[in-house]
Coordinates of all heavy atoms in Angstrom, one line a residue:
M1 N 1.2 -25.6 5.0 CA 0.9 -24.3 5.3 C -0.4 -23.9 4.7 O -0.7 -24.0 3.4 CB 1.9 -23.4 4.6 CG 1.7 -21.9 4.7 SD 1.3 -21.3 6.4 CE 0.6 -19.7 6.0
R2 N -1.5 -23.6 5.5 CA -2.8 -23.2 5.1 C -3.1 -21.7 5.5 O -3.0 -21.5 6.6 CB -3.8 -24.2 5.7 CG -5.3 -23.8 5.4 CD -6.1 -24.9 5.9 NE -6.0 -25.0 7.3 CZ -6.5 -24.4 8.3 NH1 -7.4 -23.4 8.0 NH2 -6.3 -24.7 9.6
L3 N -3.3 -21.0 4.5 CA -3.8 -19.5 4.9 C -5.2 -19.4 4.7 O -5.8 -19.9 3.7 CB -3.0 -18.6 3.8 CG -1.7 -18.0 4.3 CD1 -1.2 -17.0 3.3 CD2 -1.9 -17.2 5.6
V4 N -5.8 -18.7 5.6 CA -7.2 -18.5 5.5 C -7.5 -17.3 4.7 O -7.5 -16.1 5.3 CB -7.9 -18.5 6.9 CG1 -9.4 -18.3 6.8 CG2 -7.6 -19.7 7.8
L5 N -7.6 -17.4 3.4 CA -7.6 -16.2 2.5 C -8.9 -15.4 2.6 O -8.8 -14.2 2.5 CB -7.4 -16.7 1.0 CG -6.1 -17.4 0.7 CD1 -6.0 -17.9 -0.7 CD2 -5.0 -16.3 1.0
D6 N -10.0 -16.0 3.0 CA -11.2 -15.2 3.1 C -11.1 -14.1 4.2 O -11.4 -13.0 4.0 CB -12.4 -16.1 3.5 CG -12.8 -17.0 2.3 OD1 -12.4 -16.6 1.2 OD2 -13.6 -17.9 2.4
A7 N -10.4 -14.6 5.3 CA -10.2 -13.6 6.4 C -9.3 -12.5 6.0 O -9.4 -11.3 6.4 CB -9.6 -14.4 7.6
L8 N -8.4 -12.9 5.2 CA -7.4 -11.8 4.8 C -8.0 -10.8 3.9 O -7.8 -9.7 4.0 CB -6.2 -12.5 3.9 CG -5.3 -13.5 4.8 CD1 -4.2 -13.9 3.9 CD2 -4.7 -12.7 5.9
H9 N -8.9 -11.3 3.0 CA -9.6 -10.3 2.1 C -10.4 -9.4 2.7 O -10.5 -8.2 2.5 CB -10.4 -11.1 1.0 CG -9.6 -11.7 -0.1 ND1 -8.9 -11.0 -0.9 CD2 -9.4 -13.0 -0.4 CE1 -8.2 -11.8 -1.8 NE2 -8.5 -13.0 -1.5
V10 N -11.1 -9.8 3.8 CA -12.0 -9.0 4.5 C -11.3 -7.8 5.2 O -11.7 -6.8 5.3 CB -12.7 -9.8 5.5 CG1 -13.5 -8.9 6.6 CG2 -13.7 -10.7 5.0
L11 N -10.1 -8.2 5.6 CA -9.3 -7.1 6.4 C -8.4 -6.3 5.6 O -7.5 -5.6 6.1 CB -8.5 -7.9 7.5 CG -9.4 -8.6 8.4 CD1 -8.5 -9.7 9.3 CD2 -10.1 -7.7 9.3
M12 N -8.4 -6.5 4.3 CA -7.4 -5.8 3.5 C -7.5 -4.3 3.3 O -6.8 -3.5 3.0 CB -7.3 -6.4 2.1 CG -6.5 -7.7 2.1 SD -6.2 -8.4 0.5 CE -5.2 -7.2 -0.4
D13 N -8.8 -3.7 3.5 CA -9.0 -2.4 3.3 C -8.1 -1.4 4.1 O -7.7 -0.4 3.6 CB -10.6 -2.1 3.6 CG -11.5 -2.5 2.5 OD1 -10.9 -2.9 1.5 OD2 -12.6 -2.6 2.8
G14 N -7.9 -1.8 5.4 CA -7.2 -0.9 6.2 C -5.7 -1.1 6.2 O -4.9 -0.6 7.1
V15 N -5.2 -2.0 5.4 CA -3.8 -2.3 5.4 C -2.9 -1.2 4.9 O -3.2 -0.6 3.8 CB -3.6 -3.5 4.5 CG1 -2.0 -3.9 4.4 CG2 -4.3 -4.7 4.9
P16 N -1.9 -0.9 5.7 CA -1.0 0.2 5.2 C -0.5 0.0 3.8 O -0.2 -1.1 3.4 CB 0.1 0.2 6.3 CG -0.5 -0.5 7.5 CD -1.5 -1.5 6.9
A17 N -0.2 1.1 3.1 CA 0.2 1.0 1.8 C 1.6 0.3 1.6 O 2.5 0.5 2.6 CB 0.5 2.4 1.2
G18 N 1.7 -0.5 0.7 CA 3.0 -1.2 0.4 C 3.1 -2.5 1.1 O 4.0 -3.3 0.9
L19 N 2.1 -2.9 2.0 CA 2.2 -4.2 2.7 C 1.1 -5.1 2.1 O -0.1 -4.7 1.9 CB 1.9 -4.0 4.1 CG 3.0 -3.2 4.9 CD1 2.5 -3.2 6.4 CD2 4.3 -4.0 4.9
R20 N 1.5 -6.3 1.8 CA 0.6 -7.3 1.2 C 0.4 -8.4 2.2 O 1.3 -9.0 2.8 CB 1.4 -8.0 0.0 CG 1.5 -7.0 -1.2 CD 2.2 -7.7 -2.3 NE 2.4 -6.8 -3.5 CZ 1.4 -6.6 -4.3 NH1 0.3 -7.1 -4.2 NH2 1.7 -5.8 -5.4
M21 N -0.9 -8.5 2.6 CA -1.3 -9.5 3.6 C -0.9 -10.9 3.3 O -0.5 -11.6 4.2 CB -2.8 -9.4 3.7 CG -3.4 -8.1 4.2 SD -2.8 -7.8 5.9 CE -4.0 -8.6 6.9
E22 N -1.1 -11.3 2.0 CA -0.7 -12.7 1.7 C 0.9 -12.9 1.9 O 1.2 -14.0 2.3 CB -1.0 -13.0 0.1 CG -2.6 -13.0 -0.1 CD -3.1 -11.7 -0.3 OE1 -2.5 -10.7 -0.2 OE2 -4.3 -11.7 -0.8
E23 N 1.6 -11.9 1.6 CA 3.1 -12.0 1.7 C 3.4 -12.1 3.2 O 4.3 -12.9 3.6 CB 3.7 -10.8 1.1 CG 5.2 -11.0 0.8 CD 5.7 -9.7 0.1 OE1 5.0 -9.1 -0.7 OE2 6.9 -9.4 0.4
I24 N 2.8 -11.3 4.0 CA 3.0 -11.4 5.4 C 2.7 -12.7 6.0 O 3.4 -13.3 6.9 CB 2.3 -10.2 6.2 CG1 2.9 -8.9 5.6 CG2 2.5 -10.3 7.6 CD1 2.1 -7.6 6.1
G25 N 1.4 -13.1 5.7 CA 1.0 -14.4 6.2 C 1.9 -15.5 5.8 O 2.1 -16.5 6.6
S26 N 2.3 -15.5 4.5 CA 3.1 -16.6 4.0 C 4.5 -16.6 4.7 O 5.1 -17.6 5.0 CB 3.4 -16.4 2.5 OG 2.1 -16.6 1.9
A27 N 4.9 -15.3 5.0 CA 6.3 -15.2 5.6 C 6.3 -15.9 7.0 O 7.1 -16.5 7.4 CB 6.7 -13.8 5.7
I28 N 5.1 -15.5 7.8 CA 5.0 -16.2 9.1 C 4.9 -17.7 9.0 O 5.5 -18.5 9.8 CB 3.8 -15.7 9.9 CG1 4.0 -14.1 10.1 CG2 3.5 -16.4 11.2 CD1 2.7 -13.5 10.6
G29 N 4.2 -18.1 7.9 CA 4.0 -19.5 7.8 C 5.2 -20.4 7.3 O 5.1 -21.6 7.4
T30 N 6.3 -19.7 6.9 CA 7.4 -20.4 6.5 C 8.3 -21.0 7.7 O 9.1 -21.7 7.5 CB 8.4 -19.5 5.6 OG1 8.7 -18.4 6.4 CG2 7.7 -19.1 4.3
F31 N 8.0 -20.5 8.9 CA 8.7 -20.9 10.1 C 8.4 -22.4 10.3 O 7.3 -22.8 10.2 CB 8.5 -20.0 11.3 CG 9.2 -18.7 11.2 CD1 8.4 -17.6 10.9 CD2 10.5 -18.5 11.4 CE1 9.0 -16.3 10.8 CE2 11.1 -17.3 11.4 CZ 10.3 -16.2 11.0
A32 N 9.4 -23.1 10.7 CA 9.2 -24.5 11.0 C 8.2 -24.7 12.1 O 8.2 -23.9 13.2 CB 10.5 -25.2 11.5
G33 N 7.3 -25.6 11.9 CA 6.3 -25.9 13.0 C 5.0 -25.2 12.8 O 4.0 -25.4 13.5
V34 N 4.9 -24.2 12.0 CA 3.7 -23.4 11.8 C 2.8 -24.0 10.8 O 3.2 -24.4 9.7 CB 4.1 -21.9 11.3 CG1 2.8 -21.2 11.0 CG2 4.9 -21.2 12.3
R35 N 1.6 -24.4 11.2 CA 0.7 -25.1 10.4 C -0.2 -24.1 9.6 O -0.6 -24.4 8.5 CB -0.2 -26.0 11.3 CG 0.7 -27.2 11.8 CD 0.8 -28.3 10.7 NE -0.5 -28.9 10.4 CZ -1.1 -29.9 11.1 NH1 -0.4 -30.5 12.1 NH2 -2.2 -30.4 10.8
A36 N -0.6 -23.1 10.3 CA -1.5 -22.1 9.6 C -1.5 -20.8 10.3 O -1.0 -20.7 11.4 CB -3.0 -22.7 9.6
V37 N -1.9 -19.8 9.6 CA -2.1 -18.5 10.1 C -3.5 -17.9 9.8 O -3.9 -18.1 8.8 CB -1.1 -17.5 9.5 CG1 -1.2 -16.1 10.1 CG2 0.4 -17.9 9.8
H38 N -4.1 -17.4 10.9 CA -5.5 -16.9 10.6 C -5.6 -15.7 11.4 O -4.9 -15.3 12.3 CB -6.6 -17.9 10.8 CG -6.8 -18.4 12.3 ND1 -6.0 -19.6 12.7 CD2 -7.4 -18.0 13.2 CE1 -6.4 -19.8 14.0 NE2 -7.1 -18.9 14.4
D39 N -6.8 -15.0 11.2 CA -7.1 -13.8 12.0 C -5.9 -12.8 11.9 O -5.5 -12.1 12.8 CB -7.5 -14.0 13.4 CG -8.8 -14.6 13.5 OD1 -9.6 -14.7 12.6 OD2 -9.2 -15.0 14.7
L40 N -5.4 -12.6 10.7 CA -4.3 -11.7 10.5 C -4.7 -10.3 10.2 O -5.6 -10.0 9.4 CB -3.5 -12.2 9.2 CG -2.3 -11.3 8.8 CD1 -1.3 -11.2 10.0 CD2 -1.6 -12.0 7.6
H41 N -4.3 -9.4 11.1 CA -4.7 -8.0 11.1 C -3.4 -7.2 10.9 O -2.4 -7.4 11.7 CB -5.4 -7.5 12.3 CG -6.7 -8.2 12.5 ND1 -7.9 -7.5 12.6 CD2 -7.0 -9.4 12.7 CE1 -8.9 -8.3 12.8 NE2 -8.3 -9.5 12.9
V42 N -3.3 -6.2 10.0 CA -2.3 -5.2 9.9 C -2.8 -3.8 9.8 O -3.8 -3.6 8.9 CB -1.3 -5.6 8.7 CG1 -0.2 -4.5 8.6 CG2 -0.8 -6.9 8.8
W43 N -2.4 -3.0 10.7 CA -3.0 -1.6 10.6 C -2.0 -0.5 11.1 O -1.1 -0.8 11.8 CB -4.3 -1.6 11.5 CG -4.1 -1.5 12.9 CD1 -4.0 -0.6 13.9 CD2 -3.9 -2.8 13.7 NE1 -3.9 -1.1 15.1 CE2 -3.7 -2.4 15.0 CE3 -3.8 -4.1 13.4 CZ2 -3.5 -3.3 16.1 CZ3 -3.5 -5.1 14.4 CH2 -3.4 -4.7 15.7
N44 N -2.3 0.7 10.7 CA -1.5 1.8 11.1 C -1.9 2.3 12.5 O -3.1 2.4 12.8 CB -1.7 3.1 10.2 CG -1.0 2.8 8.8 OD1 0.1 2.6 8.8 ND2 -1.9 2.9 7.8
I45 N -0.9 2.4 13.4 CA -1.3 2.9 14.8 C -0.9 4.4 15.0 O -1.4 5.1 15.7 CB -0.7 2.1 15.9 CG1 0.9 1.9 15.7 CG2 -1.3 0.7 15.9 CD1 1.5 1.3 16.9
S46 N 0.0 4.9 14.1 CA 0.4 6.3 14.1 C 1.2 6.5 12.9 O 1.6 5.5 12.2 CB 1.1 6.7 15.4 OG 2.4 6.1 15.5
S47 N 1.5 7.7 12.6 CA 2.4 7.9 11.3 C 3.6 7.1 11.4 O 4.5 7.3 12.3 CB 2.7 9.4 11.2 OG 3.4 9.9 12.4
G48 N 3.8 6.3 10.4 CA 5.0 5.5 10.3 C 5.1 4.2 11.2 O 6.0 3.5 11.1
Q49 N 4.1 4.0 12.0 CA 4.0 2.9 12.9 C 2.9 1.9 12.4 O 1.8 2.3 12.2 CB 3.8 3.4 14.3 CG 4.8 4.2 15.0 CD 6.1 3.4 15.3 OE1 5.9 2.3 15.8 NE2 7.2 3.9 15.2
V50 N 3.3 0.7 12.3 CA 2.4 -0.3 11.9 C 2.3 -1.5 12.9 O 3.3 -1.9 13.5 CB 2.8 -0.9 10.5 CG1 1.9 -2.1 10.1 CG2 2.9 0.1 9.5
A51 N 1.1 -1.9 13.2 CA 0.9 -3.0 14.1 C 0.3 -4.2 13.4 O -0.3 -4.1 12.3 CB -0.1 -2.5 15.2
L52 N 0.7 -5.4 14.0 CA 0.2 -6.6 13.4 C -0.3 -7.5 14.5 O 0.3 -7.6 15.6 CB 1.3 -7.3 12.6 CG 1.0 -8.8 12.1 CD1 1.8 -9.0 10.8 CD2 1.3 -9.9 13.2
S53 N -1.4 -8.2 14.2 CA -1.8 -9.3 15.1 C -2.3 -10.5 14.3 O -2.7 -10.4 13.2 CB -3.0 -8.8 16.1 OG -4.2 -8.7 15.4
A54 N -2.0 -11.7 14.8 CA -2.4 -13.0 14.1 C -2.4 -14.0 15.0 O -1.8 -14.0 16.1 CB -1.4 -13.2 12.9
H55 N -3.2 -15.1 14.7 CA -3.2 -16.4 15.4 C -2.4 -17.3 14.6 O -2.5 -17.4 13.4 CB -4.6 -16.9 15.5 CG -5.5 -16.0 16.3 ND1 -6.8 -16.4 16.7 CD2 -5.3 -14.8 16.8 CE1 -7.3 -15.5 17.4 NE2 -6.5 -14.5 17.6
V56 N -1.5 -18.0 15.4 CA -0.5 -18.9 14.6 C -0.8 -20.3 15.1 O -0.7 -20.6 16.4 CB 0.9 -18.5 14.9 CG1 1.9 -19.4 14.2 CG2 1.1 -17.0 14.5
E57 N -1.2 -21.2 14.2 CA -1.4 -22.6 14.7 C -0.1 -23.4 14.6 O 0.6 -23.4 13.6 CB -2.4 -23.2 13.8 CG -3.9 -22.7 13.9 CD -4.8 -23.2 13.0 OE1 -4.8 -24.5 12.7 OE2 -5.7 -22.5 12.4
L58 N 0.2 -24.1 15.6 CA 1.5 -24.7 15.7 C 1.4 -26.2 16.0 O 0.4 -26.7 16.6 CB 2.4 -24.2 16.9 CG 2.5 -22.7 16.9 CD1 3.1 -22.2 18.3 CD2 3.5 -22.4 15.9
D59 N 2.4 -27.1 15.4 CA 2.4 -28.4 15.7 C 2.7 -28.7 17.2 O 2.2 -29.6 17.8 CB 3.5 -29.1 14.9 CG 3.2 -29.1 13.4 OD1 2.0 -29.2 13.0 OD2 4.1 -29.1 12.5
N60 N 3.6 -27.9 17.8 CA 4.1 -28.1 19.1 C 4.2 -26.7 19.8 O 5.1 -26.0 19.4 CB 5.4 -28.9 19.0 CG 5.9 -29.2 20.4 OD1 5.4 -28.8 21.5 ND2 6.9 -30.1 20.4
L61 N 3.4 -26.5 20.8 CA 3.5 -25.2 21.5 C 4.8 -25.0 22.2 O 5.2 -23.9 22.7 CB 2.3 -25.1 22.4 CG 1.0 -25.0 21.8 CD1 -0.1 -24.9 22.8 CD2 0.8 -23.8 20.8
D62 N 5.6 -26.1 22.5 CA 6.8 -26.0 23.2 C 7.8 -25.1 22.5 O 8.8 -24.6 23.0 CB 7.4 -27.3 23.4 CG 6.6 -28.2 24.4 OD1 5.8 -27.6 25.1 OD2 6.8 -29.4 24.5
N63 N 7.6 -25.0 21.1 CA 8.6 -24.3 20.3 C 8.2 -22.8 20.2 O 8.9 -22.0 19.5 CB 8.7 -24.8 18.9 CG 9.1 -26.2 18.8 OD1 9.8 -26.7 19.7 ND2 8.5 -27.0 17.9
W64 N 7.2 -22.3 20.9 CA 6.6 -21.1 20.7 C 7.6 -19.9 21.0 O 7.7 -18.9 20.2 CB 5.3 -20.9 21.5 CG 4.8 -19.5 21.4 CD1 4.6 -18.6 22.4 CD2 4.3 -18.9 20.2 NE1 4.0 -17.5 21.9 CE2 3.9 -17.6 20.5 CE3 4.2 -19.3 18.9 CZ2 3.3 -16.7 19.7 CZ3 3.7 -18.4 17.9 CH2 3.3 -17.1 18.3
A65 N 8.3 -20.0 22.1 CA 9.2 -18.9 22.5 C 10.2 -18.4 21.5 O 10.3 -17.3 21.1 CB 9.9 -19.1 23.8
G66 N 10.8 -19.5 20.9 CA 11.9 -19.2 19.9 C 11.2 -18.7 18.6 O 11.8 -17.8 17.9
L67 N 10.1 -19.3 18.2 CA 9.4 -18.9 17.0 C 8.9 -17.5 17.1 O 9.0 -16.7 16.2 CB 8.2 -19.9 16.8 CG 7.3 -19.6 15.6 CD1 8.0 -19.7 14.3 CD2 6.1 -20.5 15.7
L68 N 8.4 -17.1 18.3 CA 7.8 -15.8 18.5 C 8.9 -14.8 18.3 O 8.8 -13.8 17.5 CB 7.2 -15.7 19.9 CG 6.8 -14.2 20.2 CD1 5.7 -13.7 19.4 CD2 6.3 -14.2 21.7
E69 N 10.1 -15.0 18.8 CA 11.3 -14.1 18.7 C 11.7 -14.0 17.2 O 11.9 -12.9 16.7 CB 12.4 -14.5 19.6 CG 13.5 -13.5 19.6 CD 13.0 -12.1 20.0 OE1 12.1 -12.0 20.8 OE2 13.5 -11.1 19.5
S70 N 11.8 -15.2 16.6 CA 12.2 -15.2 15.2 C 11.1 -14.4 14.3 O 11.5 -13.6 13.4 CB 12.3 -16.6 14.7 OG 13.3 -17.3 15.4
A71 N 9.9 -14.6 14.6 CA 8.9 -14.1 13.7 C 8.8 -12.4 13.9 O 8.7 -11.7 13.0 CB 7.5 -14.6 14.1
R72 N 9.1 -12.0 15.2 CA 9.0 -10.6 15.5 C 10.2 -10.0 14.7 O 10.0 -8.9 14.2 CB 9.2 -10.4 17.1 CG 7.9 -10.8 17.8 CD 8.2 -10.8 19.3 NE 8.8 -9.4 19.7 CZ 8.0 -8.5 20.3 NH1 6.7 -8.6 20.4 NH2 8.5 -7.4 20.7
Q73 N 11.3 -10.6 14.8 CA 12.5 -10.1 14.1 C 12.3 -10.0 12.6 O 12.6 -9.0 12.0 CB 13.8 -10.8 14.4 CG 14.3 -10.6 15.9 CD 15.6 -11.4 16.1 OE1 16.3 -11.8 15.2 NE2 15.9 -11.5 17.4
M74 N 11.8 -11.0 12.1 CA 11.5 -11.1 10.7 C 10.5 -10.0 10.2 O 10.7 -9.3 9.2 CB 10.9 -12.5 10.2 CG 10.6 -12.6 8.7 SD 9.0 -12.0 8.3 CE 7.9 -13.2 9.1
L75 N 9.4 -9.8 11.0 CA 8.4 -8.8 10.6 C 9.0 -7.4 10.8 O 8.6 -6.5 10.0 CB 7.2 -9.0 11.6 CG 6.3 -10.2 11.4 CD1 5.4 -10.6 12.5 CD2 5.6 -10.2 10.1
Q76 N 10.0 -7.2 11.7 CA 10.6 -5.9 11.8 C 11.4 -5.6 10.7 O 11.4 -4.5 10.1 CB 11.3 -5.8 13.1 CG 12.2 -4.7 13.3 CD 11.4 -3.4 13.6 OE1 10.9 -3.2 14.7 NE2 11.5 -2.4 12.7
T77 N 12.3 -6.5 10.4 CA 13.3 -6.3 9.4 C 12.8 -6.4 7.9 O 13.2 -5.5 7.1 CB 14.5 -7.2 9.5 OG1 14.0 -8.6 9.4 CG2 15.2 -7.1 10.9
R78 N 11.9 -7.2 7.7 CA 11.4 -7.4 6.3 C 10.2 -6.5 6.0 O 10.1 -6.0 4.9 CB 11.0 -8.9 6.1 CG 10.5 -9.2 4.7 CD 10.3 -10.7 4.5 NE 9.5 -10.9 3.2 CZ 9.1 -12.1 2.9 NH1 9.5 -13.2 3.6 NH2 8.4 -12.3 1.8
F79 N 9.3 -6.3 6.9 CA 8.2 -5.5 6.7 C 8.1 -4.1 7.4 O 7.3 -3.4 7.2 CB 6.9 -6.3 7.0 CG 6.7 -7.6 6.1 CD1 7.0 -8.8 6.7 CD2 6.4 -7.5 4.8 CE1 6.9 -10.0 5.9 CE2 6.2 -8.6 4.1 CZ 6.5 -9.9 4.6
G80 N 9.0 -4.0 8.4 CA 9.0 -2.7 9.1 C 7.9 -2.6 10.2 O 7.5 -1.5 10.6
I81 N 7.4 -3.8 10.6 CA 6.4 -3.9 11.6 C 6.9 -4.0 12.9 O 7.5 -5.1 13.2 CB 5.3 -5.0 11.3 CG1 4.7 -4.8 9.9 CG2 4.2 -5.0 12.4 CD1 3.9 -6.0 9.4
A82 N 6.7 -2.9 13.8 CA 7.4 -2.9 15.1 C 6.5 -3.5 16.2 O 7.0 -4.0 17.2 CB 7.8 -1.6 15.4
H83 N 5.2 -3.4 16.1 CA 4.3 -3.8 17.1 C 3.6 -5.1 16.7 O 2.7 -5.1 15.9 CB 3.3 -2.7 17.4 CG 4.0 -1.4 17.8 ND1 4.2 -1.1 19.1 CD2 4.5 -0.5 17.2 CE1 4.8 0.0 19.2 NE2 5.0 0.5 18.1
V84 N 4.1 -6.2 17.3 CA 3.6 -7.5 16.8 C 2.9 -8.2 18.0 O 3.5 -8.4 19.1 CB 4.7 -8.4 16.3 CG1 4.3 -9.8 16.0 CG2 5.2 -7.7 15.0
T85 N 1.7 -8.7 17.8 CA 1.0 -9.6 18.7 C 0.7 -10.9 18.1 O -0.1 -10.8 17.1 CB -0.3 -8.9 19.2 OG1 0.0 -7.6 19.8 CG2 -0.9 -9.7 20.4
L86 N 1.2 -11.9 18.5 CA 1.0 -13.2 17.9 C 0.4 -14.2 19.0 O 0.9 -14.2 20.1 CB 2.2 -13.9 17.3 CG 2.8 -13.1 16.2 CD1 4.2 -13.7 15.7 CD2 1.9 -13.0 15.0
Q87 N -0.7 -14.8 18.7 CA -1.3 -15.8 19.6 C -1.0 -17.1 19.2 O -1.4 -17.6 18.0 CB -2.9 -15.6 19.6 CG -3.6 -16.6 20.4 CD -5.0 -16.3 20.7 OE1 -5.2 -15.2 21.4 NE2 -5.9 -17.1 20.2
P88 N -0.3 -18.0 19.9 CA -0.1 -19.4 19.7 C -1.3 -20.3 19.8 O -2.0 -20.1 20.9 CB 1.0 -19.8 20.5 CG 0.8 -18.9 21.7 CD 0.2 -17.6 21.2
E89 N -1.6 -21.2 18.9 CA -2.7 -22.1 19.1 C -2.3 -23.5 18.6 O -1.5 -23.6 17.7 CB -3.9 -21.7 18.3 CG -4.5 -20.3 18.7 CD -5.6 -19.9 17.8 OE1 -6.0 -20.7 16.8 OE2 -6.2 -18.8 18.0
P90 N -2.7 -24.5 19.3 CA -2.4 -25.8 18.9 C -3.1 -26.2 17.5 O -4.2 -25.8 17.4 CB -2.9 -26.7 20.0 CG -4.0 -26.0 20.6 CD -3.6 -24.5 20.5
A91 N -2.4 -26.7 16.6 CA -3.0 -27.0 15.2 C -4.2 -28.0 15.6 O -4.1 -28.9 16.4 CB -2.0 -27.7 14.4
G92 N -5.3 -27.7 14.9 CA -6.5 -28.5 15.0 C -7.5 -27.9 16.0 O -8.5 -28.5 16.2
G93 N -7.1 -26.8 16.7 CA -8.1 -26.1 17.5 C -7.7 -26.1 19.0 O -6.8 -26.9 19.5
I94 N -8.3 -25.2 19.7 CA -7.9 -25.0 21.1 C -8.4 -26.2 21.9 O -7.8 -26.7 22.9 CB -8.7 -23.7 21.7 CG1 -8.0 -22.5 20.9 CG2 -8.5 -23.6 23.2 CD1 -6.7 -22.1 21.5
N95 N -9.6 -26.7 21.7 CA -10.2 -27.8 22.4 C -10.5 -29.0 21.6 O -11.7 -29.2 21.2 CB -11.5 -27.3 23.1 CG -11.3 -26.2 24.0 OD1 -10.4 -26.3 25.0 ND2 -12.0 -25.1 23.8
P96 N -9.4 -29.8 21.3 CA -9.7 -30.9 20.5 C -10.6 -32.0 21.2 O -10.5 -32.1 22.4 CB -8.2 -31.5 20.2 CG -7.4 -31.0 21.4 CD -8.0 -29.6 21.6
V97 N -11.4 -32.6 20.5 CA -12.4 -33.5 21.0 C -11.7 -34.7 21.5 O -12.1 -35.2 22.5 CB -13.5 -33.9 19.9 CG1 -14.4 -35.0 20.5 CG2 -14.3 -32.7 19.5
T98 N -10.7 -35.2 20.8 CA -10.0 -36.4 21.2 C -8.6 -35.9 21.6 O -8.0 -35.2 20.9 CB -9.9 -37.4 20.1 OG1 -9.4 -36.8 18.9 CG2 -11.3 -37.8 19.7
A99 N -8.2 -36.4 22.7 CA -6.9 -36.2 23.2 C -6.0 -37.4 23.0 O -6.4 -38.7 23.3 CB -6.8 -35.9 24.7
R100 N -4.8 -37.2 22.5 CA -3.9 -38.3 22.2 C -2.8 -38.4 23.3 O -2.3 -37.4 23.7 CB -3.2 -38.1 20.9 CG -4.1 -38.7 19.7 CD -3.4 -38.3 18.4 NE -3.5 -36.9 18.1 CZ -2.9 -36.3 17.1 NH1 -2.2 -37.1 16.2 NH2 -3.0 -35.1 16.8
G101 N -2.6 -39.5 23.9 CA -1.8 -39.7 25.0 C -0.3 -39.4 24.7 O 0.5 -39.4 25.6
Ligands
LIG1 ZN1 -7.4 -18.4 16.3

């Protein structure tokens, strides 16, 4: 699990009170198959409503549907974040130079 902490620090100013970016990123990263989380944003969209977006690097994109649902439920129940946008990405980048058969 690798968190891109620089990106998190840059975005911390607008984070709703009581939410810790590192904690949220780590929570997403604990799901099986998640290699890293980056471009994590959390912000207020209206009174009492919090939105989140993040890029999630995965070992295997085939697992995405189940992971997305699990992550959405976790973010709702643990952090109270109802509006979640997660972008799945293959670990190692969108366009790997070498393809393995
Ligand atoms: Zn990305």
Side-chain angles (χ1 to χ4, degrees):
M1 174 54 191
R2 171 176 57 87
L3 267 181
V4 184
L5 293 175
D6 287 346
L8 294 182
H9 283 298
V10 169
L11 298 165
M12 281 183 66
D13 283 348
V15 176
L19 292 178
R20 295 179 178 278
M21 296 293 277
E22 290 89 347
E23 197 177 327
I24 296 169
S26 296
I28 297 171
T30 57
F31 286 103
V34 175
R35 289 281 292 275
V37 178
H38 63 268
D39 285 353
L40 176 60
H41 298 238
V42 179
W43 70 98
N44 286 303
I45 55 175
S46 65
S47 58
Q49 295 284 326
V50 177
L52 174 149
S53 73
H55 296 188
V56 181
E57 295 178 36
L58 303 166
D59 290 327
N60 186 346
L61 294 177
D62 292 344
N63 301 328
W64 177 242
L67 175 66
L68 175 62
E69 189 54 34
S70 298
R72 287 167 59 95
Q73 288 185 17
M74 181 277 291
L75 290 165
Q76 169 78 66
T77 56
R78 180 170 168 185
F79 298 103
I81 301 172
H83 299 267
V84 174
T85 304
L86 297 176
Q87 170 169 302
E89 297 180 358
I94 295 285
N95 296 307
V97 174
T98 56
R100 277 174 288 176

